[in-house]
Amino acid sequence: MESWLFLLLILAIAYWGRNMSLIIATVVVMVMKLTPVTTKWLSLIGSKGINWGVTIISVAILVPIALGQIGFADLIAAFKSIPGWVAIIAGIAVAILSKYGIDQLANVPQITVMLVLGTIIGVVLFKGVAAGPVIASGMTYLIVSLFNLHY
């Protein structure tokens, strides 16, 4: 029963914040939870969903290259600019943080609740995008490790 209340609360917050992605995600999870056959699917999505999401995001990022909207001239121009190098460094940092974030999500599941809450607040109140739980987990890992904090 507690999980239903939690999901309803998330749905209400998503509706209040007019975040269609979070509304759809919550409704999909609730419908899957209602269907006994999909219990195994929920476990599979829980364990593999982040990797699937990263794959989908990667496909979306590569589409402009496939459509010819971004070419080698753009790549060379980016290498010649400070923002281009900042983007490379940020990409490396996010990839490293995400690696530790995924490990932390697997090893410290109780932090997931707070990451989800933080993501919901960021999406609803600050009109952010819910693409950051793994990165947030990596950042949490970094800060916790840096300051030798314990759960």
Side-chain angles (χ1 to χ4, degrees):
M1 185 66 178
E2 184 177 332
S3 62
W4 282 107
L5 291 174
F6 201 167
L7 288 169
L8 285 170
L9 176 63
I10 292 169
L11 184 61
I13 292 168
Y15 179 78
W16 174 69
R18 293 185 174 94
N19 186 289
M20 193 53 66
S21 297
L22 191 54
I23 291 169
I24 291 169
T26 307
V27 169
V28 166
V29 169
M30 291 172 85
V31 168
M32 290 181 78
K33 188 171 171 55
L34 278 173
T35 311
V37 179
T38 58
T39 303
K40 290 181 183 178
W41 279 99
L42 284 173
S43 296
L44 181 65
I45 292 169
S47 65
K48 303 288 186 190
I50 290 175
N51 291 330
W52 295 342
V54 168
T55 301
I56 291 170
I57 290 170
S58 297
V59 168
I61 289 169
L62 295 174
V63 166
I65 295 170
L67 293 175
Q69 298 168 342
I70 298 174
F72 281 110
D74 299 302
L75 179 64
I76 292 167
F79 271 110
K80 293 179 181 178
S81 71
I82 291 175
W85 282 100
V86 170
I88 289 171
I89 293 167
I92 292 168
V94 164
I96 292 168
L97 287 174
S98 294
K99 173 193 174 274
Y100 289 108
I102 289 174
D103 290 345
Q104 179 173 256
L105 287 172
N107 296 324
V108 190
Q110 65 269 26
I111 203 74
T112 303
V113 175
M114 299 314 287
L115 290 169
V116 169
L117 179 62
T119 300
I120 290 169
I121 290 169
V123 166
V124 173
L125 297 180
F126 300 103
K127 305 297 181 201
V129 177
V134 173
I135 296 167
S137 183
M139 291 171 64
T140 303
Y141 170 83
L142 177 67
I143 293 166
V144 165
S145 298
L146 200 63
F147 292 103
N148 198 22
L149 304 171
H150 303 282
Y151 295 102

